[in-house]
Amino acid sequence: MSTHDREYGVVLWGATGFTGRLVADYLAGRYGATDLDWALAGRSEDRLADVRESVAADHGDGGDADDGSEQAESLADLDLLTGDAFDRDSLDAIAERTAVVCTTVGPYATYGSELVAACVEHGTNYCDLSGEVHWMRRTIDEHHDRATETGARIVHGCGFDSVPSDVGTLLLQTHAAEELGAHCDEVRGLVSIRGGAFSGGTIASMVEMYREGAADRDVRRILADPRALDPPESRGAPAERPQRGVGRDRDRDTWTAPFVMAQINEPVVRRSNALLGYPWGHTFRYGEALRTGDGVKGAATAGALAAGQGLLAGALSVGPLREALDRYVLPDPGDGPDEETIEGSSFEVRLRGTGASEEHPGGYTVEATVRGDRDPGYGSTCRMLGESAVCLARGEVDSPTTAGC
């Protein structure tokens, strides 16, 4: 059955969690129930009903509906689907009814594998917020070929990891090719974040990666491989590792610190180049760091951030310390900041590409900026994931690959 014939365009799996509620709220405000056929899904029908009641109350005049009361009634009638992340039959029953499953339930290495398998088997598109490189590699190895056969698009990293980096680089490279005659050989991203808070789900995923890495040498090898997500033909090609210590970007006159998400974003951008057929070249280089500013203050901030990340990585590598941090210190999955923090935070990713062409043999520079006016891990991420799901549901995908991971 074609996904165009499915009962729903999008099913939001994990709608009762903190991020899931934000995505539900975004879809309700943006599309209502008249511009998108969608449903809420999770383990508890009662909790799903609470989410449905909340979005109906908040967006009674949402979407593009002319009559606010009709819109409220429509949102109040959103279907509720229940299932369990470890019950394949329940996931099959959901996947076969929808064009897209949009999931916020992580850590994905723990809770996502059966859902991906169900979507692949039913030719159902899938998008998530995973930044778990070892698990992404696993889904590619296990499901890419079968997804290509069934027509399923399995798209990881549809939030702050890694949409600004990935789409920003595509924007920059497209401009360079069209206006300057050649793609950039290298792109560097500088990330600035104002306010915000780390997602409990992101922290849980990080803890899970270290836990699996401690128990499995192959996982450690994947996490250390800057081309971990590349297809086989380019897995062994040279690539820079993410920045570890304090850096200095002289072109943009700023100190830089390691960006914790670079170990996710950099392999994602490299995989995009590969899936597009290497239009940016087999030796294309991409890297990113956190911008900390100029002068003594910028250098001190970079040093403090680099040291802090190093200490955290060291602690997470030691079993007893990792379990103590996870239990007593780090936020739990489903935890998140208050609305004021979400609305009052922002981010900016400034990408700078360099290259040369026949028209510009001496070289050229191209810059692109991706901004978000809300907290990157929640307020902006819910928009990115929601729009990724709608893009897949409506087939608004311009890509040489029609299916796969």
Side-chain angles (χ1 to χ4, degrees):
M1 180 171 65
S2 166
T3 54
H4 296 295
D5 301 324
R6 303 286 171 95
E7 187 174 352
Y8 309 110
V10 175
V11 166
L12 175 58
W13 174 253
T16 61
F18 189 90
T19 305
R21 285 174 176 263
L22 291 176
V23 178
D25 184 73
Y26 174 77
L27 291 176
R30 173 72 169 168
Y31 298 102
T34 56
D35 289 346
L36 179 69
D37 294 324
W38 60 295
L40 305 174
R43 288 186 300 172
S44 167
E45 187 170 357
D46 289 342
R47 293 180 65 195
L48 289 169
D50 289 341
V51 176
R52 179 175 62 185
E53 181 180 353
S54 176
V55 299
D58 291 344
H59 300 285
D61 57 351
D64 296 324
D66 294 327
D67 188 310
S69 62
E70 290 182 5
Q71 180 68 11
E73 183 180 353
S74 297
L75 286 170
D77 291 336
L78 285 175
D79 285 351
L80 309 179
L81 311 180
T82 58
D84 188 284
F86 303 107
D87 179 358
R88 175 62 186 272
D89 289 342
S90 70
L91 300 177
D92 283 331
I94 291 172
E96 67 183 2
R97 298 175 68 183
T98 183
V100 180
V101 170
C102 171
T103 172
T104 64
V105 182
Y108 292 92
T110 303
Y111 299 106
S113 297
E114 290 295 331
L115 182 58
V116 169
C119 288
V120 168
E121 201 57 36
H122 291 282
T124 301
N125 298 314
Y126 165 101
C127 56
D128 67 22
L129 297 174
S130 175
E132 301 158 49
V133 174
H134 68 299
W135 180 73
M136 295 157 72
R137 180 71 254 173
R138 194 177 303 156
T139 66
I140 293 167
D141 292 340
E142 293 180 0
H143 298 297
H144 179 74
D145 290 343
R146 179 59 178 161
T148 302
E149 294 174 359
T150 65
R153 295 180 188 268
I154 306 301
V155 190
H156 302 300
C158 293
F160 186 54
D161 317 322
S162 303
V163 169
S165 306
D166 202 26
V167 174
T169 300
L170 179 64
L171 173 68
L172 185 150
Q173 291 283 32
T174 300
H175 177 83
E178 291 177 351
E179 301 297 327
L180 301 169
H183 292 107
C184 299
D185 300 317
E186 180 176 16
V187 175
R188 295 287 175 183
L190 287 184
V191 181
S192 302
I193 299 174
R194 184 177 67 84
F198 266 114
S199 157
T202 297
I203 295 295
S205 295
M206 187 182 303
V207 170
E208 185 61 27
M209 281 195 293
Y210 276 93
R211 186 178 287 124
E212 287 203 39
D216 191 327
R217 180 181 299 176
D218 287 339
V219 171
R220 294 197 299 273
R221 177 181 55 77
I222 290 171
L223 294 176
D225 182 0
R227 290 194 177 275
L229 300 182
D230 275 27
E233 65 268 19
S234 57
R235 286 289 298 278
E240 298 177 65
R241 298 183 183 277
Q243 180 176 319
R244 298 295 185 189
V246 175
R248 177 75 178 166
D249 190 315
R250 299 190 181 281
D251 292 326
R252 288 177 277 193
D253 197 25
T254 183
W255 293 97
T256 63
F259 182 45
V260 67
M261 304 306 176
Q263 62 182 329
I264 303 160
N265 296 335
E266 292 177 6
V268 164
V269 173
R270 294 186 187 109
R271 179 169 178 82
S272 289
N273 180 41
L275 292 179
L276 290 170
Y278 302 98
W280 313 332
H282 287 268
T283 60
F284 166 71
R285 299 180 301 281
Y286 177 79
E288 59 188 30
L290 194 64
R291 183 176 193 150
T292 60
D294 196 17
V296 175
K297 182 179 179 181
T301 301
L305 289 171
Q309 289 183 39
L311 288 171
L312 178 60
L316 291 176
S317 299
V318 179
L321 287 177
R322 179 177 60 248
E323 301 310 320
L325 286 171
D326 189 28
R327 184 172 182 179
Y328 299 111
V329 179
L330 299 175
D332 294 324
D335 288 348
D338 57 28
E339 185 176 354
E340 182 179 357
T341 300
I342 292 175
E343 297 294 336
S345 305
S346 62
F347 76 88
E348 179 180 87
V349 180
R350 300 190 66 179
L351 298 150
R352 188 173 192 269
T354 54
S357 65
E358 291 184 6
E359 297 106 336
H360 301 273
Y364 61 77
T365 299
V366 182
E367 293 192 352
T369 302
V370 181
R371 296 187 182 94
D373 59 0
R374 304 173 80 198
D375 171 84
Y378 292 101
S380 292
T381 280
C382 73
R383 293 172 171 173
M384 298 179 205
L385 180 62
E387 291 298 333
S388 296
V390 174
C391 173
L392 289 167
R394 295 181 172 176
E396 297 169 347
V397 183
D398 180 11
S399 172
T401 57
T402 58
C405 299

